[in-house]
mmCIF file of all heavy atoms in Angstrom:
data_model
loop_
_atom_site.group_PDB
_atom_site.id
_atom_site.type_symbol
_atom_site.label_atom_id
_atom_site.label_comp_id
_atom_site.label_asym_id
_atom_site.label_seq_id
_atom_site.Cartn_x
_atom_site.Cartn_y
_atom_site.Cartn_z
ATOM 1 N N CYS M 1 -0.185 -65.295 8.282
ATOM 2 C CA CYS M 1 0.972 -66.184 8.453
ATOM 3 C C CYS M 1 1.932 -65.878 7.356
ATOM 4 O O CYS M 1 1.693 -66.273 6.193
ATOM 5 C CB CYS M 1 0.544 -67.663 8.450
ATOM 6 S SG CYS M 1 1.940 -68.795 8.754
ATOM 7 N N SER M 2 3.023 -65.217 7.679
ATOM 8 C CA SER M 2 3.988 -64.777 6.659
ATOM 9 C C SER M 2 5.308 -65.530 6.716
ATOM 10 O O SER M 2 6.234 -65.217 5.956
ATOM 11 C CB SER M 2 4.252 -63.294 6.806
ATOM 12 O OG SER M 2 4.809 -62.983 8.084
ATOM 13 N N ALA M 3 5.435 -66.501 7.656
ATOM 14 C CA ALA M 3 6.704 -67.200 7.808
ATOM 15 C C ALA M 3 6.477 -68.587 8.399
ATOM 16 O O ALA M 3 5.578 -68.789 9.201
ATOM 17 C CB ALA M 3 7.674 -66.414 8.684
ATOM 18 N N THR M 4 7.318 -69.517 7.970
ATOM 19 C CA THR M 4 7.416 -70.816 8.614
ATOM 20 C C THR M 4 8.862 -71.052 8.998
ATOM 21 O O THR M 4 9.780 -70.748 8.228
ATOM 22 C CB THR M 4 6.874 -71.966 7.730
ATOM 23 O OG1 THR M 4 6.935 -73.207 8.418
ATOM 24 C CG2 THR M 4 7.678 -72.075 6.423
ATOM 25 N N ALA M 5 9.066 -71.588 10.197
ATOM 26 C CA ALA M 5 10.418 -71.849 10.702
ATOM 27 C C ALA M 5 10.581 -73.345 10.980
ATOM 28 O O ALA M 5 9.736 -73.933 11.644
ATOM 29 C CB ALA M 5 10.655 -71.048 11.983
ATOM 30 N N VAL M 6 11.663 -73.906 10.440
ATOM 31 C CA VAL M 6 11.892 -75.328 10.594
ATOM 32 C C VAL M 6 13.353 -75.580 10.993
ATOM 33 O O VAL M 6 14.223 -74.752 10.755
ATOM 34 C CB VAL M 6 11.618 -76.093 9.240
ATOM 35 C CG1 VAL M 6 10.175 -75.910 8.821
ATOM 36 C CG2 VAL M 6 12.549 -75.660 8.146
ATOM 37 N N ILE M 7 13.550 -76.673 11.652
ATOM 38 C CA ILE M 7 14.909 -77.101 12.031
ATOM 39 C C ILE M 7 15.670 -77.525 10.787
ATOM 40 O O ILE M 7 16.821 -77.110 10.567
ATOM 41 C CB ILE M 7 14.864 -78.248 13.035
ATOM 42 C CG1 ILE M 7 14.165 -77.803 14.327
ATOM 43 C CG2 ILE M 7 16.272 -78.769 13.347
ATOM 44 C CD1 ILE M 7 13.719 -78.944 15.219
ATOM 45 N N PHE M 8 15.021 -78.323 9.945
ATOM 46 C CA PHE M 8 15.692 -78.951 8.817
ATOM 47 C C PHE M 8 14.951 -78.667 7.496
ATOM 48 O O PHE M 8 13.744 -78.881 7.415
ATOM 49 C CB PHE M 8 15.816 -80.444 9.018
ATOM 50 C CG PHE M 8 16.772 -81.142 8.094
ATOM 51 C CD1 PHE M 8 18.115 -81.196 8.403
ATOM 52 C CD2 PHE M 8 16.329 -81.707 6.927
ATOM 53 C CE1 PHE M 8 19.009 -81.818 7.536
ATOM 54 C CE2 PHE M 8 17.221 -82.302 6.048
ATOM 55 C CZ PHE M 8 18.550 -82.387 6.353
ATOM 56 N N TYR M 9 15.712 -78.199 6.512
ATOM 57 C CA TYR M 9 15.156 -77.949 5.158
ATOM 58 C C TYR M 9 15.984 -78.784 4.177
ATOM 59 O O TYR M 9 17.204 -78.665 4.185
ATOM 60 C CB TYR M 9 15.242 -76.458 4.876
ATOM 61 C CG TYR M 9 15.046 -76.068 3.434
ATOM 62 C CD1 TYR M 9 14.050 -76.633 2.661
ATOM 63 C CD2 TYR M 9 15.871 -75.133 2.829
ATOM 64 C CE1 TYR M 9 13.844 -76.261 1.317
ATOM 65 C CE2 TYR M 9 15.709 -74.739 1.513
ATOM 66 C CZ TYR M 9 14.703 -75.310 0.768
ATOM 67 O OH TYR M 9 14.519 -74.948 -0.574
ATOM 68 N N TYR M 10 15.327 -79.623 3.417
ATOM 69 C CA TYR M 10 16.097 -80.495 2.518
ATOM 70 C C TYR M 10 17.069 -79.696 1.644
ATOM 71 O O TYR M 10 18.232 -80.062 1.471
ATOM 72 C CB TYR M 10 15.138 -81.298 1.616
ATOM 73 C CG TYR M 10 14.697 -82.614 2.190
ATOM 74 C CD1 TYR M 10 14.287 -82.706 3.550
ATOM 75 C CD2 TYR M 10 14.686 -83.756 1.445
ATOM 76 C CE1 TYR M 10 13.875 -83.899 4.056
ATOM 77 C CE2 TYR M 10 14.308 -84.989 1.955
ATOM 78 C CZ TYR M 10 13.892 -85.065 3.273
ATOM 79 O OH TYR M 10 13.489 -86.236 3.807
ATOM 80 N N GLY M 11 16.584 -78.619 1.019
ATOM 81 C CA GLY M 11 17.473 -77.755 0.204
ATOM 82 C C GLY M 11 17.984 -78.368 -1.075
ATOM 83 O O GLY M 11 19.051 -77.938 -1.609
ATOM 84 N N ILE M 12 17.295 -79.379 -1.598
ATOM 85 C CA ILE M 12 17.766 -80.070 -2.795
ATOM 86 C C ILE M 12 16.724 -80.077 -3.921
ATOM 87 O O ILE M 12 17.037 -80.540 -5.025
ATOM 88 C CB ILE M 12 18.189 -81.507 -2.492
ATOM 89 C CG1 ILE M 12 17.047 -82.301 -1.868
ATOM 90 C CG2 ILE M 12 19.423 -81.501 -1.586
ATOM 91 C CD1 ILE M 12 17.379 -83.801 -1.666
ATOM 92 N N PHE M 13 15.532 -79.571 -3.655
ATOM 93 C CA PHE M 13 14.483 -79.568 -4.669
ATOM 94 C C PHE M 13 14.266 -78.151 -5.201
ATOM 95 O O PHE M 13 14.243 -77.213 -4.388
ATOM 96 C CB PHE M 13 13.179 -80.152 -4.122
ATOM 97 C CG PHE M 13 13.292 -81.562 -3.670
ATOM 98 C CD1 PHE M 13 13.168 -81.914 -2.330
ATOM 99 C CD2 PHE M 13 13.507 -82.588 -4.600
ATOM 100 C CE1 PHE M 13 13.307 -83.241 -1.920
ATOM 101 C CE2 PHE M 13 13.628 -83.900 -4.182
ATOM 102 C CZ PHE M 13 13.546 -84.229 -2.858
ATOM 103 N N ASP M 14 14.113 -78.024 -6.490
ATOM 104 C CA ASP M 14 13.979 -76.715 -7.102
ATOM 105 C C ASP M 14 12.613 -76.063 -6.773
ATOM 106 O O ASP M 14 11.579 -76.756 -6.697
ATOM 107 C CB ASP M 14 14.114 -76.820 -8.628
ATOM 108 C CG ASP M 14 15.482 -77.201 -9.057
ATOM 109 O OD1 ASP M 14 16.452 -76.940 -8.307
ATOM 110 O OD2 ASP M 14 15.624 -77.801 -10.156
ATOM 111 N N GLY M 15 12.637 -74.768 -6.620
ATOM 112 C CA GLY M 15 11.397 -74.019 -6.548
ATOM 113 C C GLY M 15 10.692 -73.967 -5.216
ATOM 114 O O GLY M 15 9.601 -73.373 -5.138
ATOM 115 N N VAL M 16 11.240 -74.567 -4.158
ATOM 116 C CA VAL M 16 10.539 -74.629 -2.888
ATOM 117 C C VAL M 16 10.336 -73.255 -2.309
ATOM 118 O O VAL M 16 9.217 -72.870 -1.915
ATOM 119 C CB VAL M 16 11.287 -75.547 -1.882
ATOM 120 C CG1 VAL M 16 10.554 -75.543 -0.536
ATOM 121 C CG2 VAL M 16 11.372 -76.963 -2.420
ATOM 122 N N GLU M 17 11.417 -72.500 -2.200
ATOM 123 C CA GLU M 17 11.304 -71.163 -1.605
ATOM 124 C C GLU M 17 10.454 -70.211 -2.447
ATOM 125 O O GLU M 17 9.749 -69.367 -1.908
ATOM 126 C CB GLU M 17 12.696 -70.592 -1.313
ATOM 127 C CG GLU M 17 13.462 -71.385 -0.261
ATOM 128 C CD GLU M 17 14.825 -70.834 0.043
ATOM 129 O OE1 GLU M 17 14.904 -69.684 0.492
ATOM 130 O OE2 GLU M 17 15.814 -71.564 -0.186
ATOM 131 N N LYS M 18 10.482 -70.416 -3.791
ATOM 132 C CA LYS M 18 9.619 -69.643 -4.664
ATOM 133 C C LYS M 18 8.174 -69.973 -4.445
ATOM 134 O O LYS M 18 7.287 -69.078 -4.395
ATOM 135 C CB LYS M 18 10.024 -69.816 -6.125
ATOM 136 C CG LYS M 18 9.188 -68.940 -7.070
ATOM 137 C CD LYS M 18 9.582 -69.137 -8.489
ATOM 138 C CE LYS M 18 8.848 -68.131 -9.431
ATOM 139 N NZ LYS M 18 7.407 -68.170 -9.273
ATOM 140 N N THR M 19 7.859 -71.273 -4.314
ATOM 141 C CA THR M 19 6.476 -71.710 -4.096
ATOM 142 C C THR M 19 5.944 -71.121 -2.811
ATOM 143 O O THR M 19 4.829 -70.578 -2.793
ATOM 144 C CB THR M 19 6.402 -73.233 -4.014
ATOM 145 O OG1 THR M 19 6.808 -73.802 -5.277
ATOM 146 C CG2 THR M 19 4.977 -73.710 -3.713
ATOM 147 N N LEU M 20 6.743 -71.187 -1.761
ATOM 148 C CA LEU M 20 6.317 -70.607 -0.471
ATOM 149 C C LEU M 20 6.209 -69.083 -0.589
ATOM 150 O O LEU M 20 5.264 -68.473 -0.134
ATOM 151 C CB LEU M 20 7.287 -70.963 0.628
ATOM 152 C CG LEU M 20 7.266 -72.445 1.079
ATOM 153 C CD1 LEU M 20 8.481 -72.712 1.972
ATOM 154 C CD2 LEU M 20 5.986 -72.748 1.796
ATOM 155 N N GLY M 21 7.214 -68.468 -1.263
ATOM 156 C CA GLY M 21 7.219 -67.010 -1.421
ATOM 157 C C GLY M 21 6.031 -66.512 -2.222
ATOM 158 O O GLY M 21 5.426 -65.478 -1.894
ATOM 159 N N ASP M 22 5.608 -67.239 -3.263
ATOM 160 C CA ASP M 22 4.460 -66.877 -4.053
ATOM 161 C C ASP M 22 3.174 -66.952 -3.172
ATOM 162 O O ASP M 22 2.167 -66.311 -3.529
ATOM 163 C CB ASP M 22 4.322 -67.795 -5.264
ATOM 164 C CG ASP M 22 5.357 -67.536 -6.309
ATOM 165 O OD1 ASP M 22 6.022 -66.492 -6.235
ATOM 166 O OD2 ASP M 22 5.503 -68.402 -7.202
ATOM 167 N N HIS M 23 3.232 -67.755 -2.117
ATOM 168 C CA HIS M 23 2.101 -67.867 -1.198
ATOM 169 C C HIS M 23 2.223 -66.884 -0.026
ATOM 170 O O HIS M 23 1.440 -66.906 0.915
ATOM 171 C CB HIS M 23 2.046 -69.298 -0.671
ATOM 172 C CG HIS M 23 0.640 -69.775 -0.295
ATOM 173 N ND1 HIS M 23 -0.342 -69.998 -1.232
ATOM 174 C CD2 HIS M 23 0.096 -70.073 0.910
ATOM 175 C CE1 HIS M 23 -1.449 -70.377 -0.616
ATOM 176 N NE2 HIS M 23 -1.208 -70.440 0.670
ATOM 177 N N GLY M 24 3.244 -66.016 -0.121
ATOM 178 C CA GLY M 24 3.427 -65.027 0.915
ATOM 179 C C GLY M 24 4.082 -65.569 2.184
ATOM 180 O O GLY M 24 3.875 -64.985 3.274
ATOM 181 N N VAL M 25 4.874 -66.617 2.043
ATOM 182 C CA VAL M 25 5.490 -67.257 3.215
ATOM 183 C C VAL M 25 7.008 -67.287 3.099
ATOM 184 O O VAL M 25 7.521 -67.818 2.129
ATOM 185 C CB VAL M 25 4.946 -68.704 3.381
ATOM 186 C CG1 VAL M 25 5.551 -69.351 4.618
ATOM 187 C CG2 VAL M 25 3.428 -68.725 3.486
ATOM 188 N N GLN M 26 7.653 -66.752 4.079
ATOM 189 C CA GLN M 26 9.117 -66.773 4.188
ATOM 190 C C GLN M 26 9.544 -68.066 4.866
ATOM 191 O O GLN M 26 8.965 -68.501 5.874
ATOM 192 C CB GLN M 26 9.602 -65.588 5.003
ATOM 193 C CG GLN M 26 11.080 -65.549 5.317
ATOM 194 C CD GLN M 26 11.447 -64.458 6.282
ATOM 195 O OE1 GLN M 26 10.573 -63.768 6.841
ATOM 196 N NE2 GLN M 26 12.730 -64.251 6.524
ATOM 197 N N LEU M 27 10.595 -68.715 4.321
ATOM 198 C CA LEU M 27 11.113 -69.940 4.945
ATOM 199 C C LEU M 27 12.374 -69.626 5.776
ATOM 200 O O LEU M 27 13.330 -69.057 5.259
ATOM 201 C CB LEU M 27 11.482 -70.969 3.866
ATOM 202 C CG LEU M 27 12.134 -72.253 4.352
ATOM 203 C CD1 LEU M 27 11.207 -73.021 5.288
ATOM 204 C CD2 LEU M 27 12.561 -73.116 3.199
ATOM 205 N N ILE M 28 12.300 -69.983 7.055
ATOM 206 C CA ILE M 28 13.443 -69.826 7.982
ATOM 207 C C ILE M 28 13.871 -71.218 8.404
ATOM 208 O O ILE M 28 13.034 -72.018 8.818
ATOM 209 C CB ILE M 28 13.013 -68.995 9.197
ATOM 210 C CG1 ILE M 28 12.561 -67.590 8.767
ATOM 211 C CG2 ILE M 28 14.145 -68.897 10.218
ATOM 212 C CD1 ILE M 28 11.794 -66.844 9.836
#
């Protein structure tokens, strides 16, 4: 599982995409 796709991403908290990226997960 290399990606998660969501309708809505808060986009206001630091480090979310890095946390997912470090786990090998792309956020769409």
